[in-house]
Amino acid sequence: YGSPQTYKMSSQVRLRLLPSARCLYDEPVQVKVAGLKSRQLVTMRARLTDDKGVMFSSSATYRADGNGKIHLDRDPSLSGSYVGVEHMGLLWSMKPDTLHRYFHKSRILNPVMVMFSVHEEGDSKMLAEVTNERLLIGDGVSRILVEERNVCGVLYTPTGGGPFPAVLDLSSTRSEKRACLLANKGFVVLNLTLFTDKPSKIKEMHLDYFEEAVNFLKQHSKVGSKGIGVISRSKGGDIALSLAAFVPGVEAVVCINGCNANTAFPLYYKKRLILPPLSFDFKKFIPTESGAVIGMHVLDNPLAEENKDTLIPIERAKGHFLFVASEDDLNWDSKTYMDQMVERLKRHGKDNFESVCYPGAGHLLEPPYGPHCESCPHYLSDKPGMWGGESRSHAAAEVHMWKKIQEFFRTHLKAGHKATNHGTFLLKKKSL
């Protein structure tokens, strides 16, 4: 990525990002300060503006060592947005300048620009500043809009000829971040958005549409895996589970904070209703002082006798599952749903699954090193939703989960032969 970059605002203070000020979005950087006075107290800050113009920022107080140096991977924050040794704390602790805002990144070719700065104690005079250019798309990775038959999405392909393992990425609302970051790691990824219209206008969903996307990937010239992987979160999780249960060729499913029953809309396949929706009651939303609502108890009990037809028959799946659940999910009871899925598979004599649970994490688990979103507009409610999670625990969960997802897909989506340039990409500036 080139040599480390140093920016200084005074004759002495230097702020450096290692190994470089340019990196991929999901990579950590080392933040180091030198040239301060011995034991000097300073304020470190980070800020960025997302693609909707919302500013996110964080700050933390540090004390330099006897040589006037601060290393964020060694030295503790004494106060501010977080305390303790957190080498990427300035990133995950960033908060929006307006309530109920999510970090939006829709212009994928443009890097996320994070301004790191060091100030005299009290956050007054700036002593040094550096820009961290965090790229979402690596050199050689292509982004292509797909409109083939009924499939409408965005395809990311890695550099090189392949063959590569393939993943279908389902997102509730438009978000390509996870898809392009997986492509950087050597996967062909097709991103589909579940809700291309307002949910209030959607009467039913059809599994055939997602099956077409699976078949599109299977037939792609760069795809060499025996089957297709699927990754999704929330409502998309039950679509992913249904694909595994009903559609051939789905070999690996990552279900992040999903439900074990079909939710929100009737699900059809081959012109036949296969799963009615689990009922929900918006009157069970719990209001909070901030104006956002907690939805943990909105869904009916999927194990109740009257709801048994909504349960997804995951025991039919021939592929493998990775279930991910957050224990502080305020959107719905993800941990309970995961436990019920594990129990169902065990009852059917199945061992084709892994499960991982994260205490202190909230609903919106994403690729690491972005601002933790505690509340933002909910696509099924007219009020913002509370997503849960304690920022430090949530950030640690994202780091662990991101590595786990890649290992899971590499294990269960073996390509025809070893792909070239697998998982390693040089970076260059993309045109804006």
Side-chain angles (χ1 to χ4, degrees):
Y1 303 147
S3 58
Q5 296 184 33
T6 303
Y7 291 78
K8 50 189 177 180
M9 302 285 291
S10 72
S11 59
Q12 294 183 343
V13 180
R14 299 178 303 283
L15 174 57
R16 294 190 299 160
L17 302 178
L18 301 169
S20 172
R22 303 184 75 238
C23 63
L24 288 172
Y25 180 90
D26 57 347
E27 291 182 344
V29 290
Q30 294 182 54
V31 183
K32 296 188 175 184
V33 184
L36 297 168
K37 297 171 186 174
S38 176
R39 313 298 296 169
Q40 182 178 352
L41 274 176
V42 295
T43 300
M44 301 287 300
R45 293 189 63 205
R47 64 191 187 280
L48 64 82
T49 302
D50 75 0
D51 288 347
K52 288 196 171 184
V54 177
M55 178 176 281
F56 293 74
S57 62
S58 62
S59 65
T61 302
Y62 283 89
R63 184 182 296 279
D65 65 12
N67 295 316
K69 295 179 179 180
I70 297 171
H71 296 177
L72 264 62
D73 58 350
R74 177 196 71 186
D75 301 321
S77 164
L78 305 177
S79 64
S81 301
Y82 60 94
V83 293
V85 178
E86 293 288 340
H87 72 293
M88 295 292 278
L90 285 171
L91 286 181
W92 57 251
S93 69
M94 285 192 285
K95 303 290 185 191
D97 59 7
T98 309
L99 264 181
H100 312 315
R101 290 295 183 267
Y102 170 79
F103 171 59
H104 281 276
K105 185 59 185 169
S106 54
R107 294 191 284 271
I108 296 298
L109 298 184
N110 294 5
V112 177
M113 308 296 280
V114 182
M115 305 297 293
F116 287 96
S117 54
V118 56
H119 302 250
E120 288 185 347
E121 185 186 4
D123 205 23
S124 52
K125 180 183 176 183
M126 184 187 291
L127 301 175
E129 184 178 53
V130 61
T131 301
N132 185 198
E133 198 172 342
R134 306 186 66 80
L135 292 93
L136 288 113
I137 188 165
D139 184 32
V141 174
S142 68
R143 176 186 183 273
I144 302 170
L145 294 175
V146 173
E147 291 184 358
E148 185 165 311
R149 298 180 185 175
N150 294 321
V151 177
C152 183
V154 182
L155 181 72
Y156 286 90
T157 55
T159 184
F164 301 106
V167 174
L168 175 62
D169 175 81
L170 304 176
S171 54
S172 297
T173 55
R174 187 188 170 198
S175 177
E176 300 172 31
K177 185 166 55 180
R178 184 172 59 198
C180 69
L181 290 173
L182 277 174
N184 293 339
K185 309 300 182 185
F187 297 91
V188 172
V189 188
L190 176 62
N191 171 257
L192 294 186
T193 302
L194 288 184
F195 302 127
T196 54
D197 205 342
K198 291 182 179 179
S200 60
K201 294 185 178 180
I202 299 174
K203 303 301 180 189
E204 59 195 39
M205 301 193 85
H206 292 262
L207 203 59
D208 311 71
Y209 171 68
F210 304 102
E211 182 180 38
E212 281 194 46
V214 168
N215 291 334
F216 170 85
L217 280 171
K218 285 163 70 174
Q219 295 160 13
H220 193 278
S221 60
K222 280 195 173 187
V223 172
S225 49
K226 181 180 122 186
I228 303 303
V230 184
I231 184 170
S232 195
R233 183 185 65 209
S234 197
K235 165 60 192 173
D238 61 67
I239 294 293
L241 297 173
S242 298
L243 279 170
F246 293 100
V247 173
V250 176
E251 289 290 319
V253 167
V254 176
C255 177
I256 304 168
N257 290 329
C259 184
N260 55 336
N262 178 54
T263 61
F265 312 102
L267 184 64
Y268 287 79
Y269 183 47
K270 299 189 183 300
K271 300 182 179 179
R272 182 174 65 89
L273 176 66
I274 55 171
L275 293 169
L278 183 64
S279 299
F280 49 83
D281 184 358
F282 285 156
K283 293 178 183 176
K284 293 181 179 178
F285 272 129
I286 301 171
T288 67
E289 289 183 6
S290 71
V293 293
I294 295 172
M296 268 204 71
H297 307 295
V298 167
L299 275 177
D300 287 352
N301 178 9
L303 296 189
E305 181 64 26
E306 64 270 21
N307 296 324
K308 64 179 183 179
D309 290 342
T310 71
L311 290 167
I312 303 163
I314 52 176
E315 68 277 2
R316 295 177 44 163
K318 292 184 169 57
H320 290 78
F321 295 105
L322 172 59
F323 302 124
V324 178
S326 297
E327 289 193 18
D328 193 36
D329 189 341
L330 296 183
N331 182 65
W332 57 23
D333 197 355
S334 296
K335 173 66 164 58
T336 294
Y337 301 149
M338 182 182 80
D339 290 343
Q340 291 171 357
M341 286 189 280
V342 167
E343 176 59 31
R344 183 182 183 112
L345 288 173
K346 285 181 177 178
R347 196 167 65 246
H348 284 87
K350 296 278 192 170
D351 61 358
N352 58 336
F353 63 90
E354 299 175 58
S355 61
V356 59
C357 182
Y358 294 114
H363 187 72
L364 296 183
L365 286 174
E366 301 204 318
Y369 308 129
H372 169 220
C373 177
E374 297 175 350
S375 63
C376 69
H378 194 297
Y379 52 84
L380 289 176
S381 171
D382 58 355
K383 293 183 178 178
M386 292 292 296
W387 304 109
E390 183 275 319
S391 294
R392 184 195 303 263
S393 300
H394 189 92
E398 289 181 332
V399 172
H400 183 273
M401 180 190 72
W402 189 233
K403 292 177 182 176
K404 184 77 176 173
I405 287 169
Q406 294 169 52
E407 291 168 359
F408 175 77
F409 279 145
R410 290 197 206 289
T411 299
H412 298 292
L413 300 175
K414 297 291 187 183
H417 59 76
K418 190 174 181 180
T420 56
N421 298 331
H422 188 65
T424 304
F425 296 91
L426 298 175
L427 303 178
K428 65 180 181 183
K429 285 192 175 181
K430 299 285 177 180
S431 56
L432 304 182

